[in-house]
Amino acid sequence: MVERGLVGFFENFVGRESVFLNKKALQSTYTPDAMLHRNEQIQKIAEVLAPSLRKDRPSNIFIYGKTGAGKTLCVKHVTKNLTTVAAAKNIPLMALYVNCKLKRTADTEYRLLAQLASMFGKAVPPTGLPTDEIYKIFYSAVESKNHNIILVLDEIDQLVRKAGDGVLYNLTRINDDLKTSQISIVGISNDLMFAETLDPRVRSSLSEEEVIFPPYNAMQIRDILRERAKAAIKPGVLQEGVIEKCAAYAARDHGDARRAIELLRVSAETAERKNQSTVTTEHIDEAEQNIEKDRIFEIVEMQPKQYQATLYAIISLSGKKDAIFTGEIYDLYKGICSKTGLRPLTQRRISDVLAELDVFGIINARVISKGRYGRTREISTQLDNSVKAKITGVLRESLGI
DNA sequence: AGGTATTCACATGAAACTATTCTCTGAGTTAGG
DNA sequence: TAACTCAGAGAATAGTTTCATGTGAATACCTGT
């Protein structure tokens, strides 16, 4: 019977009208042909990079803007057009894009260089060689190409935070040593204060030009959503006001267009799953909650055992009182460790773990002083009880309690 | 009452250590000529 | 003698531990009125 029902479900699913025309246009990998409300920035970037077509070295550019402000897309848009023209006119020009945030790919000096070397077709072992060896390989690879190279470093702040600014110093200086090729760097950062922390020499050479991407406002996000929706969703499916509401939600927290697009996609999926042919504003609310919940569960499941044990301690305590402190958590955590056979970490480490859980947004931690009674982190959660119970279940399972 | 000094309970920083993964090198071993 | 194997040295990295220093404000302790 179950089988029959399942077959029926699938048959029904296939026969059903989808609300999507082309779902890809709402996914994060999609690159639209035209960028709305970013002409000024695109123009500026293009102006700075254009000299590369005449074999001059363009200035380095530094690009700032919050997440979802269209930085990456704009830069890719410009470099794509640039290389197309270069290829058509037989100008030796290459644009390399590297995302420095990707773990195990380009988040250290060694790995960044290894990544770049492999883009030149020189495979490099993931470890075992001294870093300056990799530099030499990279040098010779660049030198042999005889190209003008535009190096786009996305999320460059992550790289510097982990590996220090020595990498950038070396890269900005590399042109002094190169004879046949030239490199210019496009750094993308979403931390506005990032440049302040750099070594002044690096800073001045890296930000010869600067481009700032202000957050989109609600109107602009609305336009972007309309454009995407035109390509992605069947006409007439979206109810009046849906796009406006998505835009308003996204504009509320720093104008993140990516988030707005995700919200629209999940809303449409929700409607589709419920077998409804229109997307209403109620779907948006539901989608928003689900996105948040899914995110939390995903993060919780991903965490290493030690983090999970810490989180378990926090959630156990959070039911009983409204404010909990590092010391209490650590005591309970030690108990959990001995119960589960986990080797307890030091309090110093747990302190960092708590800070990281805060960054993930699973808990709220803030450092407070209780005067005579010391200084500590005050930790709270804003998860509602049903979510807490579910997380507890997941953690129990994972920790074997 | 008002001002200063203490003091707590951690936070925060830096350095050092550990375990793991990987390459390279050269000595020792093996098989074929 | 060439090819192969394998242990050991050297590197990079993530995750910790150890040691050292910092810190905000409630309280304790003065001080002069």
Side-chain angles (χ1 to χ4, degrees):
Chain A
M1 290 315 259
V2 174
E3 294 306 312
R4 181 66 232 152
L6 209 50
V7 169
F9 169 77
F10 284 137
E11 276 169 356
N12 184 9
F13 183 87
V14 173
R16 198 192 308 164
E17 278 269 308
S18 168
V19 300
F20 292 106
L21 276 175
N22 172 20
K23 199 155 149 184
K24 287 207 185 79
L26 291 180
Q27 279 160 353
S28 53
T29 48
Y30 179 79
T31 322
D33 300 328
M35 299 285 301
L36 290 171
H37 301 295
R38 284 298 183 234
N39 292 335
E40 209 178 297
Q41 283 81 5
I42 288 181
Q43 189 61 35
K44 173 95 192 255
I45 297 171
E47 275 168 20
V48 176
L49 293 183
S52 61
L53 291 171
R54 287 199 213 114
K55 297 213 76 179
D56 291 334
R57 190 187 78 83
S59 301
N60 294 329
I61 320 179
F62 217 107
I63 296 175
Y64 302 100
K66 299 251 176 136
T67 44
K71 304 180 295 293
T72 306
L73 281 181
C74 283
V75 171
K76 281 189 169 171
H77 183 71
V78 172
T79 53
K80 196 172 123 198
N81 284 302
L82 192 63
T83 47
T84 311
V85 171
K89 308 225 167 189
N90 237 339
I91 300 168
L93 173 67
M94 276 176 87
L96 302 179
Y97 172 85
V98 179
N99 187 332
C100 304
K101 194 184 172 182
L102 295 178
K103 286 224 164 183
R104 322 210 168 259
T105 307
D107 59 343
T108 67
E109 178 170 21
Y110 184 100
R111 294 213 264 248
L112 174 63
L113 290 168
Q115 174 85 16
L116 293 175
S118 79
M119 283 174 170
F120 283 98
K122 302 246 175 172
V124 164
T127 169
L129 294 182
T131 304
D132 50 329
E133 194 72 22
I134 306 293
Y135 255 113
K136 278 184 209 147
I137 294 174
F138 177 60
Y139 263 47
S140 65
V142 171
E143 197 74 84
S144 69
K145 280 280 180 183
N146 194 3
H147 267 52
N148 234 349
I149 292 159
I150 295 171
L151 178 57
V152 182
L153 298 176
D154 204 346
E155 316 230 24
I156 197 170
D157 45 332
Q158 300 288 328
L159 175 68
V160 171
R161 213 181 44 148
K162 277 203 64 180
D165 49 14
V167 203
L168 296 183
Y169 182 68
N170 288 332
L171 279 176
T172 51
R173 265 195 10 184
I174 204 169
N175 284 315
D176 302 344
D177 299 338
L178 291 170
K179 298 192 178 59
T180 61
S181 303
Q182 311 183 73
I183 294 185
S184 42
I185 298 173
V186 179
I188 304 180
S189 159
N190 46 35
D191 178 1
L192 302 173
M193 302 309 294
F194 167 66
E196 312 290 319
T197 65
L198 286 174
D199 181 307
R201 287 172 299 179
V202 175
R203 186 171 150 198
S204 66
S205 74
L206 203 55
S207 48
E208 290 168 339
E209 298 284 346
E210 291 189 17
V211 180
I212 293 169
F213 280 68
Y216 293 112
N217 63 33
M219 305 282 271
Q220 293 168 333
I221 293 185
R222 191 196 59 199
D223 294 343
I224 293 168
L225 283 177
R226 284 218 177 112
E227 200 62 31
R228 293 278 190 117
K230 217 193 288 170
I233 295 179
K234 288 186 180 159
V237 167
L238 294 181
Q239 214 180 51
E240 193 69 18
V242 165
I243 285 188
E244 283 71 13
K245 189 162 177 185
C246 281
Y249 272 8
R252 202 180 46 195
D253 38 34
H254 71 255
D256 185 340
R258 196 179 317 169
R259 170 122 21 120
I261 292 166
E262 187 189 10
L263 189 58
L264 183 62
R265 175 173 55 80
V266 176
S267 302
E269 282 170 357
T270 310
E272 189 171 68
R273 203 168 304 136
K274 290 186 169 172
N275 220 346
Q276 289 164 345
S277 55
T278 56
V279 180
T280 67
T281 50
E282 283 89 66
H283 289 135
I284 299 178
D285 290 316
E286 202 177 326
E288 196 186 40
Q289 283 187 8
N290 284 336
I291 289 176
E292 181 61 13
K293 260 191 224 164
D294 288 352
R295 196 181 66 84
I296 289 180
F297 281 118
E298 205 174 296
I299 293 174
V300 169
E301 281 176 4
M302 236 174 49
Q303 296 305 313
K305 287 259 190 307
Q306 300 286 3
Y307 287 60
Q308 292 186 337
T310 313
L311 191 57
Y312 187 75
I314 295 168
I315 291 185
S316 310
L317 285 169
S318 72
K320 294 167 197 141
K321 36 202 317 225
D322 37 341
I324 43 183
F325 308 109
T326 307
E328 302 167 309
I329 293 171
Y330 187 63
D331 288 342
L332 184 55
Y333 158 81
K334 274 193 294 191
I336 293 168
C337 283
S338 66
K339 234 189 283 177
T340 58
L342 212 57
R343 191 175 59 88
L345 302 177
T346 50
Q347 179 156 328
R348 173 71 186 82
R349 180 65 187 129
I350 295 302
S351 175
D352 284 346
V353 169
L354 289 174
E356 284 180 51
L357 287 175
D358 180 41
V359 171
F360 282 131
I362 310 178
I363 61 174
N364 291 323
R366 74 198 168 97
V367 179
I368 56 159
S369 175
K370 293 190 290 170
R372 192 67 206 277
Y373 304 104
R375 227 163 100 86
T376 183
R377 276 202 174 81
E378 184 188 61
I379 283 149
S380 59
T381 61
Q382 78 281 54
L383 308 169
D384 59 65
N385 285 335
S386 66
V387 177
K388 266 190 209 167
K390 232 168 149 187
I391 292 179
T392 311
V394 171
L395 293 179
R396 276 229 169 88
E397 166 107 11
S398 163
L399 293 167
I401 305 179

